Amino acid sequence: MRHWTDEQRALRATAEAVGADLGAGHLERDARGEFAWDGWRHLSAIGLFGTPFDGTWGGSGLDLPTMMYVFEGLGYRCPDAGLVFSACTHVVSTGVPLQRFGSKELKAKYLPKVCAGETIGAHAITEPDGGSDVLAMRTTARREGGEFVLDGGKAFVTNGPIAGLVVVYARTGAPGHLDGITAFLVPTDTPGVALGRPLAKMGLRTSPLSELFLTDVRIPRSQVLGAVGSGFLVLDEVMKWEILCGFAGVLGEMQHRLERCVEHARGRTQFGRHIGANQAVSHRIVDMQIGLETARKWLYDTADKLTAGQSVTTDLAITKLVVSEANVASALAAVQIFGGHGYTAEYGLEGDLRNAVAGTIYSGTSEIQRERLAAFLGLSRATAARGVKERTT
């Protein structure tokens, strides 16, 4: 069993307390696809957005496992999964690459606003006809003097409609080459940047999603994250944080869902006994617990390895598969355990299921993760680097 310090437990308790206060009206917001601005301000007030960043920029300097523990607590108590998803996307899509790969000038200019939640971050990777094949992206960035000129379009940009800063991945080299992609930090008020209307979607409806259009967008060379041609390296770092932090929040949701099902199974009586006495119900709940604890182990063990500087390439693919698919199974089981009530929007469990499906798609689909693992075993012709990123974030 993992042991947390009193300080870490206090941080999580704060996240849980704030998360519990953010539940009012979340079902109505989900139905309308409405972002919780008040919730965002509450998360800003407790310093959530600055958790992994240096104190120089207004952050808390927490390590990765601690940040995951805090996000797990938020997911456990906050019923607005879309808000949690948007918060994590903001931190990992923009703040993480900015701190790791940005120049001192870029950090000084943007990172304090990211830490404070004043400027909302997003990243733009997937393209309408590209899907999982990130190396075939058509968005280009051509060099003109001390600037780059970006042209193209991106799809499935989480936080797009509300973002003030987007990390855009564009092709600066030959198609299909790892060194042909560059990451640019692009303010959304830059001339030539246009954000599409919010897109209606199956789940995570309170987390806004849109397309991004780039037409002759001029970006100074100083806005490049890392070196020209190192965009895939930047994206790889972001993916590690996105999977581990994002699914830590999902882990909290799974824990809360399990507890609801146990309570319901103990209290609901049919045919003269509580339904938990029925093997079909009890075994389903046990499977939920097994999925939860397996997900927890993979998440935190992988985070420990990454923090220790070890390779987590295989671990990350397995973690993403295990947690996302366990979450779908857990949500489906909860709907069935609650029966007719589980199918209604009032109980929120049908929303859990809709939200869970997204996790098998964003951050690399389940199919792509299996292809990666097959490639690592020498069973697939696909390279471990190609076809990695189906994005909704």
Side-chain angles (χ1 to χ4, degrees), residues 8-9 11-20 48 65-79 84 245 248-253 255-256 296 300:
Q8 289 169 323
R9 291 181 183 278
L11 289 168
R12 173 168 171 142
T14 299
E16 287 189 19
V18 171
L48 181 80
T66 305
M67 181 183 170
M68 291 168 59
Y69 187 55
V70 171
F71 265 93
E72 181 187 345
L74 183 63
Y76 174 65
R77 292 299 301 275
C78 180
V84 178
C245 295
V250 168
L251 187 69
E253 296 170 22
Q255 177 73 53
H256 183 261
R296 188 189 310 280
Y300 285 105

Side-chain angles (χ1 to χ4, degrees), residues 149-217:
V149 182
L150 279 63
D151 286 285
K154 299 290 185 176
F156 310 126
V157 181
T158 291
N159 290 350
I162 57 175
L165 198 60
V166 182
V167 177
V168 176
Y169 295 84
R171 183 163 55 80
T172 51
H177 288 261
L178 287 177
D179 60 357
I181 297 173
T182 300
F184 298 88
L185 195 62
V186 180
T188 56
D189 61 359
T190 305
V193 175
L195 293 164
R197 61 176 177 80
L199 299 172
K201 51 183 175 173
M202 177 180 178
L204 298 173
R205 292 173 177 171
T206 59
S207 176
L209 184 76
S210 72
E211 294 178 296
L212 176 72
F213 306 99
L214 306 158
T215 306
D216 291 329
V217 177

Side-chain angles (χ1 to χ4, degrees), residues 243 247 316-324 359-364:
I243 290 172
F247 283 98
L316 207 65
I318 295 174
T319 298
K320 206 280 179 174
L321 268 173
V322 166
V323 185
S324 64
T360 64
I361 300 172
Y362 65 74
S363 301

Side-chain angles (χ1 to χ4, degrees), residues 241-271:
W241 283 76
E242 180 172 283
I243 290 172
L244 295 174
C245 295
F247 283 98
V250 168
L251 187 69
E253 296 170 22
M254 292 172 66
Q255 177 73 53
H256 183 261
R257 189 182 306 131
L258 172 65
E259 292 173 5
R260 284 189 69 185
C261 287
V262 170
E263 181 181 11
H264 179 72
R266 287 173 175 170
R268 172 73 164 165
T269 301
Q270 285 188 338
F271 305 106

Side-chain angles (χ1 to χ4, degrees), residues 309-377:
Q310 301 176 39
S311 173
V312 295
T313 305
T314 299
D315 305 74
L316 207 65
I318 295 174
T319 298
K320 206 280 179 174
L321 268 173
V322 166
V323 185
S324 64
E325 297 194 352
N327 190 35
V328 173
S330 167
L332 180 57
V335 169
Q336 293 168 324
I337 289 166
F338 274 75
H341 292 298
Y343 195 69
T344 64
E346 180 183 359
Y347 277 64
L349 294 170
E350 60 85 29
D352 281 5
L353 182 56
R354 289 187 285 104
N355 296 338
V357 171
T360 64
I361 300 172
Y362 65 74
S363 301
T365 64
S366 292
E367 292 76 16
I368 287 298
Q369 301 303 338
R370 287 186 169 88
E371 277 296 297
R372 295 188 74 193
L373 292 167
F376 299 148
L377 292 170

Side-chain angles (χ1 to χ4, degrees), residues 300-311:
Y300 285 105
D301 284 0
T302 302
D304 287 340
K305 288 183 68 173
L306 180 60
T307 302
Q310 301 176 39
S311 173

Side-chain angles (χ1 to χ4, degrees), residues 108-122:
K109 184 175 182 179
Y110 295 110
L111 205 46
K113 294 180 179 179
V114 171
C115 288
E118 295 173 7
T119 298
I120 297 179

